[in-house]
Amino acid sequence: MTGWGHGKYGTPGGEAIFRGLDALAGGIRSSVDSKRGMAARLKYLTERKGGADAMQRAGLSPSRETMRRWLKGTQQPGPANRHKIESAYRDLRSKNVARTMKARLSKDGRGTRVSVTPLPASAVPTNKQTRQGQFEDREMTIRPGDWNRAVDLWANDDMSGLEEWWMDIAGDLGSPPEAYFEVAHIGFSA
């Protein structure tokens, strides 16, 4: 779906939060397409509790011999399996760091302050511009319970749920929340 609030003019707020949580979670920086990146992901999946389950959820079921060759680097997975390995890695990694992220964003029950940079007025269609003041940067504190919901949506790779969550949160920003459904940037630090 592309239209106002769904990424036609800027970054949907839920996607901006998703990217921010990804950055906060850290992880392997090397691409899954590089030998180093592939080796790191396979090591993570085979050495961490829940790795086998994550691979199964991603539809990855190599034979023991194939996995041994992948781990040794004597054989590289094909494109479809690289995609499944990346999916399994993201699934396991996000679930492993979710609890830590919730605690970090909760900040002992105070929540985390975010700054929202809206789209410039020139990027918003004239029929969607409701008043001049809607294009101001805003700051707000997102409560721990709301962060917990966002982290759960992120950990489950539920982008549409995170989009809906953001649209609810944007209502706390004031003058019409629609002005903040799509953004230039959302920044937060934990």
Side-chain angles (χ1 to χ4, degrees), residues 2-13:
T2 56
W4 177 248
H6 299 284
K8 186 172 182 179
Y9 303 100
T11 302

Side-chain angles (χ1 to χ4, degrees), residues 51-97:
D53 292 336
M55 287 189 284
Q56 186 176 28
R57 282 191 300 274
L60 188 67
S61 56
S63 68
R64 281 185 186 216
E65 183 59 29
T66 298
M67 181 59 83
R68 187 183 65 72
R69 287 192 303 263
W70 286 353
L71 287 166
K72 286 178 79 175
T74 58
Q75 178 183 340
Q76 290 298 309
N81 282 331
R82 282 196 304 270
H83 175 75
K84 290 174 183 178
I85 290 166
E86 178 66 10
S87 178
Y89 166 73
R90 286 187 54 81
D91 176 32
L92 184 61
R93 173 82 177 142
S94 62
K95 286 174 177 42
N96 285 345
V97 300

